[in-house]
Structures are given as structure tokens and as C-alpha cells.
Amino acid sequence: METLLMLLRRLFGMALVVVIATFLLSCLMWLLPGDPALLLAPGTPAGALQAIRHQVGLDRGVFGYYWKWLTDMLHGDFGQYYLNGGTRSVTEVIKRTLPVSMQLIVYAQVVALTFSIPLGLLTAYKEGSRFDRWTSSVLFTLVSFPAFALALIMSLIFAVKLGWVDPIGYVKPSEDLFKHLKLMILPVASLAVGLTSSYTRLLRNDVIATLKEDYVTMAASKGISNKRVLWKHVFRPSSTTLLTSAALNMGGLIGGTIIVETIFVIPGIGYEIFYSIGARQIIAMQTLIALVSFAYVFFNTTVDLITNITDPRTRERRV
Amino acid sequence: MSDTAVAPTTESPAVAIKKVRKKRPIGFYIAASWIGLVLFLGLFGWILPTPKWDASFFDSLGVGPFSKGHILGTTQDGYDEFAGLVNGARISIFVSFIAVTVGGGIGSFIGITSAYFRGTYDKIVVTFFNILLSIPNLVLSLALLSVLAYSDENHPSSTNRRVVVLIISLIVVIIPILGRIGRGATLQWSSREFVLASKSMGTKDFMIIRKHVLPNVAPALLAIGFLAIGSVIIVEGSLAILGIGVPGGASWGSMLANGRGNLEFSPWEVYCPALCIAFTVISCNWFGDYVRTALDQREAKI
């Protein structure tokens, strides 16, 4: 019962954050100089403009407009792009771009986790050794290396100078899997480097703390091999922070892909947000940002709830 | 820390800090010298006998680094790369300093007061921070910039206005980051005995915050402040790559953005500003981390 109540309270809080965030975005749109309908669809004749105004809800004031947008969203109508006299459904665009971004994000996460888990365990196990000091310093340097600088420098070296991969472009995995993976190497690498560094650091800290627990000494003194102790007894209890942070990054990365997608010309949702802001497609922009912000808040809340339910220690600490 | 655990309890914090200072890691010196160099170039770079940063040299278009008269070469349009970097340092210092001090000031004020007074005010502040944090940094500043510095043929927007809006949007990004840190730290400190004692003596709330809470919260804020300078430089660079940073190729980010198209012909246009940005961000993070650990140990010893 208590859990259910907490769940409801959290869901309410989550909805509130997304609603206020998107409402503030609508208010922001209202600050644009000139007629919003004309900005949305430049070059439209006056009669058609009135129709657009009504369709979007621009004739109802800022509250009415927001209410219409919100109810439309909840009914599954994500709005339209108004370009070159025609319209294009935002739903279609999301269907086309979201999978691309998800591929990028999932690859980056998988690569980051495969590198950071062994590195984190090993650096923690050999805490204070030369290996640990060097790895930790290098990772600390890389975590602050801006993704765009990394992306540009890598494409300079590997694409322009060495010619190993194409500098830009995207191919669907269903068309040509090998080419798809080859084109994804640089974008994924520029996202994964920062992630790997931060994940390794998180895991290392937790593993160092776990290694000091009595039951680890117990397991080791029973004669279980070091490798087995590390994986079975140390890794599992230390992985909570890592997994939490990985899940939180799912939401944040959608925004973070904007730069990588722009540099490598990948038709993902990040690039689409940038494009819709540039083209003043206020409806599309509002919908896409709402989606990102919802994803972020959703992952945040879900992860919080799951750790809350599965790990009683966090519950006690909160009280 | 086991070797210092038996240190006499009379050891004052100042002595403890001095002891820690002796073992500064090498990264600290590298970071400090780079930050010093950037500060020097940014503040006094105009003394150096470099060519003008905003003048195009038509006799030397796209010459490589270490050529006569142009230490780091020129861009394809004939702008001197080194002079550009010096000017970029000035812009970066200006933009990030203002954004972090103003944004950090507002953020920490809101965060500290909300944690101190609690109640409805605190709830509103937390929701407000959550809202700002739920939109990715870059998207938030992108939206603010494109609306507040909107420009087309009917509504021209001046360069100054765009820089001001850029700084405002960076401030909005910084507020929740430092606000959260300030709030978290204050929650810990404001329940301590000395705060309670001060309260029971009838000290005014803002006096307690100033005398008892702020000095204890400040180290954490300072450390995150350095990290925030790094993220401001990254956001500015990202905005520039998207084509809406500081206009006219003035900042490191916009130099990078302008040079992106010439990657094949004059790669120094890309790696010079990219490395400058990267080194500055890394140095700020090293420095912030150093500040944090140095002050952490003081806390552990008392």
C-alpha cells in the first residue's frame, strides 16, 4: 500500500515536470516576433494561414494553444510540419528518426559497458598500483574531452588522413549491415569514450567499497579463486550505481546525440530537433523536446523506483 | 590515509591543508599552467605582436603552421589561426566567467535558501530544478537562443544581442547544476549542532546562512564551479557547431565550426581550436577535482 502510494506520488511528480516544461516551451514560442502562424508556414496565403492558425490552436491564446497541443498529444496526434506549402506528420518523422538514434545510443552504451566493467573491476582490485593510477588518470582526462572535439579529431585522423572509414553518412542495418556498422564506428566511439570513463570511475569506487566488506574476506578465506570472488561476490552488489547511471544516460543521451548526429550527418532524432528549431517548426519542436524530456524523466523515475523496491537499503536511508 | 590517522588532534585545518599541498599531483601543475596560459592570453593577449585576428591576409590563404608571420598558419580565408585562438581565449573567459558566476550565484542562492528553509518553497525549487534538468543542456540553450535571438530579414538581431542571449541561456543551464549541489550540501550542514545552537540564540536566518552554512558549502560549490566552466565551454562549442554560437568566428567553438568544412585542406583549423577547448575543459576538471579532494581531506581529519 505504501509502495503504491509512493508510486502514484512519483508518477504525479513526473507528469507535473513534463507538463510544466512543455508549457514553458509554448510560452517561449509566444515570444517570437511576428505572427507565429506565418513563421510556421512562410509564404502561405492569408486564407490558408487562418486555417493553419485554427488547426494548431494559435487563435486561442497561449493557454488554449497549450491545452490543444497537450490533448492532441494524449490522443496520439503529434502534429505536423509545415514546409514548402505542404505538411508532414511529426509521427512519421519520429518513426523514421527514433530508431536511428536508439541504435546509436544502444551501441554506445554496449561498447561503454563492455570496456568499463572489466576496467572498473581491475583498477579497483589493483587499487593504488601503477596500472590503476595510469588508467584512472587517462580516463579522467577522457571523461572531460568534449564529444564534438573527439568526433572531429577522429574523423580527421581515421576518415580524412587514413581513409579507413567514410567521414559522414548513415546506412540502415537492413540494407547493408557491414556498411552500417562501419559508418557507426566513429559516432559511437565519440559517444562511448566519455561514457566508458564515467562508468569505470563509478564502478571502481563501488568495488573498492565492496572489497572492504567482511563477506568478501570470508569468501576469499574459504579459498574461492580471486576471479570468482570478483565476479560473483563483488561485482553484483557494486553494480547498482553503474546500472542506475547507465539507465539515466538513456534519456540524457537522446539530447547528447544532437552534436554527433550533426557532425556525422546521421538522420536521428537529435538532428531532427536541431532542424525543427532552425526551421521554426514550433509544433514539431515542442513535441520532440517533450519526448526527450519525458524519456529523461521516465528513466529517472523508473530507475529510482526499481532501486527503491529491490534494494531495501536505499529505502531506509531515504526515511 | 592510514599513516596520518594517528595525527595529533590539535592539528589545525590550516596545517592539514598545507600537508596535503605538498603532495600535489602532476596533473594539478599541468592544469594550473594551462589555465594560467589561457588567462594570460585572454587578458593580455593584445600585447603580443600577433597579426589582427579579424583581418584576412589575402597573400597567405590557408598556409600551414610554422610559416612566416603566422605561427599556427591561416584559415582558407586568410585569418591568422594563433590570433584567432588568442581572441577566442578572451571570448571564452568572458562568456564562461559571467555565465558561471551569475548562474552559480543565482543557483546556489536558491539552492541554499531552499534547503535551509524547507517547506513549500523547497518543494517548488526542487520541481523547478527538475524541470530545467529534464531538458538536455544543449536543447534548452538551443531553444532559448533561437527564440530570444531570433533573426530574419524583417527582424534583424545584432551581434551584441546574440552574445547576451547566449550568456543568458548558459546561465539558465548552470542554475540547476549548482543549485542542486548547494541544496544537497546545505541539507547536510543545516542540521548540524552549531546551526541549531546559533538558531536557539536567536541569530537571524540570513546571518546563520552567511556565517555558518555558506563557509561549509562553499568548497563543494567551488569545485563544481570549475566543472561548470568546462561544461559552459562545451555547450558554447556545441552551439557554435550547430551554427548559433558567438557570431563571426570569434570564439574557439565558432573557429572550429568554420574550419569544419576545410578538414581536408587545412586540418589545423580544426585541431587547434578543438585541442584548446579540450585542454581547457580537462584543466578545469582536474583543477576542480583537486580542489574537491584537498578540501575533502580537511573534512575527514577534523
Side-chain angles (χ1 to χ4, degrees), chain A residues 28 39 144 274 277 280 293, chain B residues 131 134 146-147 150 242 281 285:
Chain A
L28 200 61
L39 285 175
S144 35
F274 168 58
I277 291 178
R280 272 101 205 173
S293 130
Chain B
I131 290 166
S134 77
S146 61
V147 171
Y150 177 82
L242 297 178
V281 175
N285 285 13

Side-chain angles (χ1 to χ4, degrees), chain B:
Chain B
M1 279 292 91
S2 54
D3 53 335
T4 54
V6 286
T9 44
T10 48
E11 191 180 69
S12 72
V15 176
I17 287 184
K18 255 183 204 158
K19 270 195 173 173
V20 173
R21 269 187 197 152
K22 276 184 192 161
K23 311 184 280 185
R24 277 173 188 153
I26 180 127
F28 167 76
Y29 290 105
I30 301 175
S33 9
W34 177 262
I35 293 177
L37 181 71
V38 171
L39 277 177
F40 172 76
L41 289 181
L43 298 176
F44 305 110
W46 48 271
I47 294 176
L48 298 175
T50 51
K52 284 181 83 156
W53 73 273
D54 52 355
S56 179
F57 295 87
F58 290 109
D59 48 344
S60 47
L61 298 177
V63 296
F66 306 114
S67 45
K68 197 168 174 285
H70 304 285
I71 272 191
L72 289 175
T74 58
T75 67
Q76 293 297 322
D77 303 322
Y79 292 99
D80 185 77
E81 193 68 24
F82 183 70
L85 290 179
V86 170
N87 181 65
R90 191 172 59 91
I91 303 275
S92 293
I93 291 172
F94 176 70
V95 169
S96 53
F97 181 77
I98 295 194
V100 172
T101 42
V102 176
I106 299 175
S108 3
F109 178 80
I110 299 178
I112 291 174
T113 47
S114 83
Y116 183 83
F117 293 111
R118 309 301 305 268
T120 322
Y121 172 55
D122 187 39
K123 277 194 188 116
I124 294 173
V125 167
V126 171
T127 316
F128 170 66
F129 285 165
N130 280 342
I131 290 166
L132 286 183
L133 287 170
S134 77
I135 304 174
N137 286 349
L138 191 56
V139 177
L140 187 61
S141 40
L142 199 60
L144 283 173
L145 255 175
S146 61
V147 171
L148 298 179
Y150 177 82
S151 67
D152 62 13
E153 42 298 1
N154 301 327
H155 308 87
S157 159
S158 70
T159 307
N160 280 343
R161 184 189 164 109
R162 286 189 56 181
V163 174
V164 170
V165 171
L166 175 73
I167 293 176
I168 292 177
S169 69
L170 292 173
I171 288 174
V172 174
V173 167
I174 293 295
I175 287 178
I177 299 176
L178 276 154
R180 268 202 161 179
I181 302 292
R183 183 173 175 277
T186 309
L187 278 181
Q188 275 175 18
W189 286 99
S190 62
S191 54
R192 287 286 184 99
E193 296 81 2
F194 56 84
V195 174
L196 193 67
S198 196
K199 240 185 230 177
S200 62
M201 285 193 297
T203 317
K204 291 222 168 66
D205 283 329
F206 276 97
M207 194 65 167
I208 297 179
I209 290 179
R210 223 182 65 201
K211 291 275 172 189
H212 298 298
V213 177
L214 198 58
N216 287 310
V217 174
L221 288 175
L222 205 67
I224 303 296
F226 275 103
L227 301 188
I229 292 182
S231 26
V232 163
I233 294 176
I234 292 183
V235 172
E236 195 278 324
S238 312
L239 287 171
I241 288 196
L242 297 178
I244 47 171
V246 179
S251 73
W252 286 340
S254 31
M255 287 172 74
L256 191 63
N258 288 349
R260 210 154 68 83
N262 306 328
L263 203 60
E264 265 174 80
F265 315 106
S266 45
W268 54 89
E269 278 186 57
V270 170
Y271 64 68
C272 287
L275 289 178
C276 273
I277 293 174
F279 284 157
T280 310
V281 175
I282 291 169
S283 300
C284 286
N285 285 13
W286 272 105
F287 209 81
D289 196 56
Y290 171 75
V291 171
R292 193 177 53 78
T293 40
L295 296 158
D296 250 12
Q297 281 169 349
R298 189 200 77 156
E299 162 74 354
K301 269 188 191 134
I302 295 173

Side-chain angles (χ1 to χ4, degrees), chain A residues 103-172:
Chain A
Q103 284 160 8
L104 197 60
I105 292 170
V106 170
Y107 293 161
Q109 293 270 31
V110 169
V111 170
L113 286 174
T114 20
F115 280 102
S116 59
I117 290 174
L119 270 179
L121 282 173
L122 218 60
T123 47
Y125 181 63
K126 302 196 166 185
E127 190 200 350
S129 69
R130 184 170 293 170
F131 169 74
D132 172 40
R133 287 204 308 271
W134 277 100
T135 318
S136 301
S137 307
V138 169
L139 288 179
F140 188 66
T141 310
L142 286 179
V143 76
S144 35
F145 213 97
F148 62 83
L150 202 64
L152 285 173
I153 289 176
M154 280 199 307
S155 67
L156 178 67
I157 297 173
F158 296 110
V160 176
K161 293 273 167 196
L162 296 173
W164 290 351
V165 284
D166 288 337
I168 54 169
Y170 172 79
V171 174
K172 275 187 192 162

